[in-house]
Amino acid sequence: MGFPASGLSIIHPIPLLALVLAALAGQPAFAVTVESCGREVTIKTPPRRAASYGSNLTEIMLALGLEDRMAGFFGQGERIRKQSTELFPGAAGLAELQGGYPTLEAFLDNDIDFYFAGWSYGMRVGGDITPEALAAFGIPVYELSESCIRLGRAKQPSFEYLYRDVANLAAIFDVADRAAALIHSYEARLAAVTQRLAGVSTRPTVFIYDSGEKVAVSAGGYSMPQAIIDAAGGANILADVESSWIRAEWETVVDRNPSAIVVVDYGNVTAEQKIAFLKSNPAFAAVEAIRQDRFLVLGYDDLTPGPRNVSAVERLAGFLHGN
């Protein structure tokens, strides 16, 4: 597949003459422009004190080996310290700049020169921290592609979203060769799953259970789990909901009768407690996945955009199809 044909708008390398003229003029030769949720973001020099929000976005930067370009991260510090360090040892050296969503003061106090975040991933629509707000202080923002749905940019995610974010970040930090290697490895692993599923004719129906008892927090058709389920040979029972992470009525879940349930190991309620809740509620007794005890536990970082998505596909495909 290579780099995505659309959405990635990295300017071509500057010709040699232009580099020479720039040097003579005392201007920086590096300049790159990428698209972020419909905005053009131009970076004139690779960031040196970048910040990310949360574990999955931080892991994207760590997968690119950018820990030496980071001042630290905002939010989800406990998860990063407990889980991210297992896969990415460089996470251990990163500072937690602030718990939860950041304040403007945290950016200024820590001399942040770049922010990798998303809508509902470290920024809120109408909140104090937005690309426009930070631009006033010379801090560029790159937005997670999956999160653009919060701005009304309705396009179903695929793994091209992940590839685009990896490639754009690599362009911003001038490490394009690292992105090429990562994307090639991701593509090869997903192709292997596709090959294993070549003879499969049935897509088992899947319900993502994040949390909630009165209503269910789940994944709609514009969330990263949609792309993961598709690649694993399944069918999301809430694929027709044109949003990312959503609240669904339990009656809808029961009516759509999933044959498998993916439980997100996230939040104060453990995965075991979530499964116990589903099994103990008489209203859910007829749901096939519950009758057949068909539960797969995956983590927050498996299902939100990041480098663990490919392993999530591999695990889910094996769970659904036994291969």
Side-chain angles (χ1 to χ4, degrees):
M1 278 190 291
F3 283 9
S6 62
L8 174 61
S9 54
I10 303 171
I11 65 173
H12 295 291
I14 302 172
L16 178 59
L17 178 59
L19 288 173
V20 173
L21 292 174
L24 292 173
Q27 299 297 321
F30 177 91
V32 67
T33 297
V34 299
E35 182 193 350
S36 177
C37 287
R39 299 181 304 115
E40 283 195 348
V41 179
T42 297
I43 306 294
K44 295 182 179 179
T45 186
R48 289 291 176 183
R49 292 191 56 79
S52 54
Y53 178 80
S55 51
N56 61 312
L57 280 78
T58 300
E59 288 190 355
I60 294 175
M61 297 189 71
L62 292 170
L64 286 166
L66 298 174
E67 55 267 29
D68 62 336
R69 311 283 192 88
M70 298 178 66
F73 61 88
F74 297 110
Q76 301 178 352
E78 183 178 357
R79 185 182 303 117
I80 291 173
R81 286 188 292 271
K82 286 185 177 180
Q83 298 177 18
S84 297
T85 51
E86 296 176 4
L87 190 60
F88 302 104
L94 293 179
E96 183 176 3
L97 304 173
Q98 191 172 43
Y101 277 34
T103 60
L104 177 59
E105 289 74 18
F107 285 92
L108 302 181
D109 290 346
N110 290 285
D111 196 24
I112 303 304
D113 61 2
F114 175 80
Y115 187 35
F116 177 34
W119 301 104
S120 299
Y121 296 91
M123 297 190 298
R124 296 185 180 91
V125 176
D128 293 334
I129 300 301
T130 65
E132 293 74 20
L134 292 179
F137 296 89
I139 304 171
V141 176
Y142 181 76
E143 296 143 288
L144 186 74
S145 292
E146 183 224 35
S147 75
C148 300
I149 182 66
R150 300 297 185 192
L151 301 180
R153 300 180 64 83
K155 181 181 178 182
Q156 280 197 310
S158 70
F159 273 84
E160 296 298 323
Y161 269 19
L162 177 60
Y163 302 158
R164 181 171 69 200
D165 289 341
V166 167
N168 281 345
L169 285 169
I172 288 168
F173 286 88
D174 198 22
V175 291
D177 56 331
R178 301 179 193 177
L182 271 181
I183 293 170
H184 177 74
S185 69
Y186 295 159
E187 289 177 330
R189 290 168 62 187
L190 290 175
V193 173
T194 300
Q195 187 173 8
R196 293 206 318 266
L197 299 179
V200 172
S201 58
T202 302
R203 286 182 169 266
T205 52
V206 179
F207 168 56
I208 302 287
Y209 180 37
D210 175 278
S211 58
E213 294 190 357
K214 291 184 177 180
V215 295
V217 177
S218 186
Y222 290 77
S223 64
M224 195 64 201
Q226 179 66 51
I228 292 169
I229 294 169
D230 287 344
N236 180 9
I237 65 166
L238 298 172
D240 59 326
V241 182
E242 295 185 358
S243 190
S244 52
W245 293 93
I246 61 170
R247 287 177 171 81
E249 297 295 335
W250 284 112
E251 291 82 355
T252 301
V253 177
V254 172
D255 288 346
R256 298 189 179 189
N257 193 24
S259 58
I261 296 175
V262 173
V263 178
V264 186
D265 191 6
Y266 166 70
N268 295 325
V269 181
T270 67
E272 292 76 16
Q273 290 171 323
K274 294 174 185 179
I275 292 171
F277 163 72
L278 293 172
K279 286 183 173 182
S280 66
N281 194 319
F284 308 153
V287 173
E288 181 182 351
I290 296 173
R291 287 191 295 105
Q292 300 296 327
D293 199 29
R294 294 279 289 163
F295 299 98
L296 174 67
V297 176
L298 293 176
Y300 173 91
D301 294 313
D302 294 319
L303 295 169
T304 53
R308 298 179 192 257
N309 295 158
V310 177
S311 61
V313 170
E314 293 166 337
R315 290 179 61 191
L316 182 57
F319 176 73
L320 295 177
H321 302 286
N323 58 11

